[in-house]
Structure formats: structure tokens, C-alpha cells
Amino acid sequence: MPRGRYSLHDPHDHTPLGEEHFHCAPGPSGWRYVAQRTTPSGEHTGSVDLALDELGRPVRLELHAAGWQVRGGALDGVTWVRTDPAGEHAAEGSVRAHAFTGTSPAFLVATARLLRLAPGDPAIRVRLVAFTDPVLAPRTVDRSWALVKSEAHSTDNGPLTVHEYRIGCLDTGEQHTVYLAGDVVLSAPGVELEDLQTPPSVFT
């Protein structure tokens, strides 16, 4: 069960945004990721709980941030309920999309798991519902994903395969590179792996 800590920062000016303390693990029915988020000074700001089925679909998502809460899952695309801090109003949404995304590194692992790309495959277009910080407002986005290459690296715990993905934002034309090893993000725009207590899990 990988357990560790990511640092989060603004991908443009590198302003520190906080940290995400996580643990995750594959299981007989899929994969689960649980994390607590903090400010740079250590104050609690929210949480992430994401569970995927064996095909990589989001069977359960629960986000908390700034008093807001989102619960969602895959149903005729993706469906969610977003609740305000006072708990008086709940707004339901549903979009013909493949999965969810957001600032948590969990969503990068989840999308890679869903697409199951091989090096050299053509880029795949994927529609996602993004929950934006800090109030978890939903926004539908289109991305392109391509697996550029996979390389094995020697470590004290044996070979570690690192996957290099190229992700494009189809509305802006921006592209960026993400490095994954199993169910851990090694590096991505706005994300750095600062501590990892156990090796990444390998998806079969």
C-alpha cells in the first residue's frame, strides 16, 4: 500500500498551495485512493476519497474543500451532487463524460488506469468533469492523452517502470508531461512527490 506526500504548487508561478498526504492500494475490485490536504502551514483544507472499479471507472468519489462537498460516481456518464457549506442546498449534475478530474494527483492515476494506453498508441481524446479549487465547481473539459514511452529503472526494491504521458488541453492547446510509476505520480505540472514510504503498486 503506497503511502506518502505530494507537494502542490501553482504550475505557472510555482506558488506553494499545500500538501496532499495519501495512501492508495489496488484490490480485488479495483483501486482506492484516500488523502488529506493541508495548507503550506499545515492547516487542514480538505480530503479526497476515490474508488475505481476493475475497468478504471470511478465508482465512488468524495471531495471536501472550503466547506463544500462533492459525491459522485459513474452513472450514464458521470453523476454528482455538490453541497454548499451551509448544507441547505444540494445541486446535482450529470454529464456524458468518461471520468472526473481535479488538482489531486489521484485523478492522473485514475485516467491512466481508465485509458490503458500502450507506447505508440495514437492519442486518445477523453472528456472529464473537473472540480476546481477552492469551491469544487464542476467544469467539463476535453483532454488528449498519449503514452510517449515506458522505461524500467533499477531501484533498491527491484525494477521500477516509469510511464511518460503527454496530456493536451484541447480548448487551449497547452500540453504538459506527466510521469507515473504504478499508482504513484512522480512528477506533473503543479505536483511533486516529496515522500514515499512504500513502493508503488503495479497494476496487472
Side-chain angles (χ1 to χ4, degrees):
M1 177 185 293
R3 183 183 299 270
R5 174 173 53 88
Y6 294 110
S7 63
L8 308 176
H9 57 267
D10 187 295
H12 302 291
D13 63 13
H14 302 288
T15 300
L17 300 177
E19 294 184 334
E20 187 162 303
H21 301 255
F22 74 95
H23 63 271
C24 56
S29 59
W31 180 73
R32 188 178 180 196
Y33 177 100
V34 177
Q36 300 295 320
R37 308 189 80 176
T38 62
T39 65
S41 62
E43 298 177 4
H44 184 263
T45 58
S47 62
V48 181
D49 189 343
L50 174 64
L52 309 180
D53 67 10
E54 66 277 4
L55 298 178
R57 297 172 300 194
V59 293
R60 187 182 71 256
L61 171 68
E62 185 168 335
L63 301 175
H64 293 265
W68 294 87
Q69 174 182 288
V70 167
R71 293 175 185 253
L75 181 66
D76 294 328
V78 293
T79 299
W80 67 92
V81 175
R82 176 173 175 264
T83 306
D84 63 290
E88 298 176 354
H89 306 284
E92 183 174 341
S94 183
V95 172
R96 289 281 185 178
H98 297 92
F100 299 110
T101 191
T103 55
S104 172
F107 295 114
L108 295 171
V109 176
T111 304
R113 179 63 175 162
L114 176 70
L115 299 179
R116 300 175 188 241
L117 298 171
D121 284 350
I124 288 183
R125 177 173 178 157
V126 57
R127 174 158 289 183
L128 306 167
V129 172
F131 293 106
T132 59
D133 291 338
V135 296
L136 303 179
R139 184 168 65 94
T140 303
V141 298
D142 291 312
R143 300 281 189 261
S144 67
W145 274 66
L147 178 54
V148 178
K149 61 183 177 180
S150 299
E151 291 185 340
H153 298 263
S154 298
T155 71
D156 294 339
N157 297 306
L160 180 70
T161 301
V162 176
H163 306 285
E164 178 184 337
Y165 290 90
R166 182 178 297 115
I167 302 174
C169 301
L170 298 184
D171 56 344
T172 65
E174 290 181 293
Q175 291 194 343
H176 53 267
T177 301
V178 170
Y179 295 92
L180 305 182
D183 56 356
V184 171
V185 177
L186 302 180
S187 178
V191 177
E192 291 295 336
L193 180 64
E194 300 290 351
D195 177 56
L196 185 63
Q197 298 175 18
T198 49
S201 300
V202 178
F203 289 117
T204 57

